Amino acid sequence: MAVYFQKREVVVPGQLLAEGRYRSSFGTYDEEGKIFSSLVGLAELRGNTVKVVALEGTYMPKEGDLVIATINIVAGNNWKVDIGGPYGASLHANNALRRPYSDDISEYMDIGDVISAEVIAFDRNSGPFLGMKARGLTVLTDGMVLDVSPAKIPRIIGRSGSMINMINDHLKIDTIVGQNGRIWIRAPSTEILRLAIKAFRTIEAQAHTSRLTDRISSMLLEELEKIKGSVDKKEEVEDAAESTETEPEPEPELDAKAEPEPEPESKTDSEEKSEPETPPEEKETAVEVVAKKDEEKEEPTEEVSEK
């Protein structure tokens, strides 16, 4: 028994990996007790099983795979679904809905809907068949879908989910990682969503390196501190602006010496015209009174002269 590669060594097709009592797995083939690589990727030994994780490549469906898919066609009781790769998938209503269901299955899922589903059967002639009756499989109404290389999905998930769980815990996001190279992400803010995408792109580019989980964790913590600092600074600026708006502006002080002295009021022509005039009747009465007095004075003079 012998192993001819180091842990996570990059190997090429036809390269001898092991011989003896070892089992061939994904990315390898067995010839007369010798195991060779069938693709370019990272060689791994798990127990007595040898496999190669591809660095690049299209998605090849396998039974039990979790996939993120998009509905393209609604035909009778079937949905035609895009899962990426060379094969189109089918989803029958019996494998997604509980009976009884409507004859118009577009009421439940329609063209353009994004779903999480499981590959329940795969035939190279007819393509894979999907199911949605397992727990957690549903229509994904929120979030976004990020496309990555299907070959990098094992690294994004990590051993026993270590990588994806760490990202979810740091960023407080919800994710579903499909084996077909699609990741559904729901984040609380645009900044966090961008940071999640950056993390997944970094993993995709550095999938062949060691201690990647620790480096991604450190990067996320640093970026989160920057986001928190920018948010705090923005809140301080907004608070300062609000306090400035609420403060009353001081009224300008008036100079007592500069106050103009009041000018004497003068009667206008209209006011003079508006003064009451003596009625003509009253004037005539006054003349009559004067005349009567004159007559009374004259009467005694005439009497004296007659005597």
Side-chain angles (χ1 to χ4, degrees), residues 17 25-29 36-39 51-53:
L17 302 179
S25 182
F26 180 80
T28 64
Y29 61 94
F36 298 87
S37 173
S38 61
L39 46 79
K51 72 173 184 178
V52 176
V53 179

Side-chain angles (χ1 to χ4, degrees), residues 189-231:
S189 66
T190 304
E191 291 81 3
I192 297 299
L193 177 61
R194 290 174 179 169
L195 184 53
I197 294 172
K198 180 180 179 180
F200 290 128
R201 291 301 186 200
T202 303
I203 298 170
E204 185 180 19
Q206 302 179 16
H208 60 285
T209 61
S210 60
R211 302 187 63 82
L212 183 58
T213 302
D214 294 338
R215 295 202 308 276
I216 295 296
S217 178
S218 299
M219 181 197 75
L220 292 179
L221 293 175
E222 291 177 3
E223 294 293 333
L224 286 172
E225 285 296 326
K226 293 179 182 178
I227 292 174
K228 183 180 178 181
S230 62
V231 170

Side-chain angles (χ1 to χ4, degrees), residues 156-158 161-169 175 177 183 200:
I156 289 174
I157 295 174
S162 58
M163 180 72 82
I164 190 64
N165 289 336
M166 179 270 295
I167 294 173
N168 290 343
D169 291 341
T175 59
V177 181
I183 307 172
F200 290 128

Side-chain angles (χ1 to χ4, degrees), residues 35-290:
I35 299 176
F36 298 87
S37 173
S38 61
L39 46 79
V40 178
L42 303 176
E44 292 186 355
L45 179 64
R46 298 284 179 87
N48 65 337
T49 302
V50 179
K51 72 173 184 178
V52 176
V53 179
L55 291 178
E56 294 294 340
T58 58
Y59 171 64
M60 295 298 294
K62 299 190 302 296
E63 290 186 16
D65 279 357
L66 171 66
V67 295
I68 307 297
T70 304
I71 295 175
N72 287 338
I73 300 173
V74 181
N77 289 338
N78 282 278
W79 291 277
K80 299 300 181 182
V81 183
D82 171 34
I83 60 172
Y87 299 99
S90 297
L91 173 63
H92 195 277
N94 291 340
N95 296 324
L97 306 174
R98 292 182 179 179
R99 290 179 178 272
Y101 50 80
S102 172
D103 292 336
D104 183 9
I105 62 173
S106 64
E107 295 178 4
Y108 308 101
M109 292 181 288
D110 206 352
I111 295 172
D113 286 348
V114 178
I115 62 173
S116 57
E118 179 186 6
V119 178
I120 58 176
F122 175 52
D123 183 349
R124 290 180 180 272
N125 296 323
S126 58
F129 295 92
L130 306 182
M132 291 183 64
K133 287 194 172 181
R135 185 177 181 181
L137 303 179
T138 184
V139 179
L140 304 175
T141 55
D142 300 324
M144 67 155 290
V145 175
L146 177 68
D147 290 321
V148 298
S149 172
K152 307 300 174 63
I153 289 298
R155 199 72 170 104
I156 289 174
I157 295 174
R159 186 171 297 180
S160 301
S162 58
M163 180 72 82
I164 190 64
N165 289 336
M166 179 270 295
I167 294 173
N168 290 343
D169 291 341
H170 280 347
L171 301 183
K172 309 300 181 186
I173 61 176
D174 298 319
T175 59
I176 299 176
V177 181
Q179 296 293 336
N180 57 333
R182 294 176 181 173
I183 307 172
W184 175 79
I185 311 168
R186 180 170 60 192
S189 66
T190 304
E191 291 81 3
I192 297 299
L193 177 61
R194 290 174 179 169
L195 184 53
I197 294 172
K198 180 180 179 180
F200 290 128
R201 291 301 186 200
T202 303
I203 298 170
E204 185 180 19
Q206 302 179 16
H208 60 285
T209 61
S210 60
R211 302 187 63 82
L212 183 58
T213 302
D214 294 338
R215 295 202 308 276
I216 295 296
S217 178
S218 299
M219 181 197 75
L220 292 179
L221 293 175
E222 291 177 3
E223 294 293 333
L224 286 172
E225 285 296 326
K226 293 179 182 178
I227 292 174
K228 183 180 178 181
S230 62
V231 170
D232 293 342
K233 186 175 181 181
K234 184 178 179 181
E235 290 178 353
E236 290 177 0
V237 172
E238 291 177 353
D239 293 341
E242 289 178 359
S243 61
T244 303
E245 291 177 358
T246 54
E247 289 181 0
E249 295 183 359
E251 297 182 358
E253 297 181 359
L254 298 177
D255 190 357
K257 296 181 180 180
E259 291 183 359
E261 296 181 359
E263 296 181 358
E265 296 181 358
S266 58
K267 294 183 179 181
T268 60
D269 295 340
S270 60
E271 290 177 347
E272 291 178 355
K273 292 179 181 179
S274 63
E275 290 183 356
E277 296 181 357
T278 305
E281 294 180 357
E282 293 181 1
K283 290 181 180 180
E284 292 177 358
T285 305
V287 172
E288 291 176 357
V289 171
V290 173

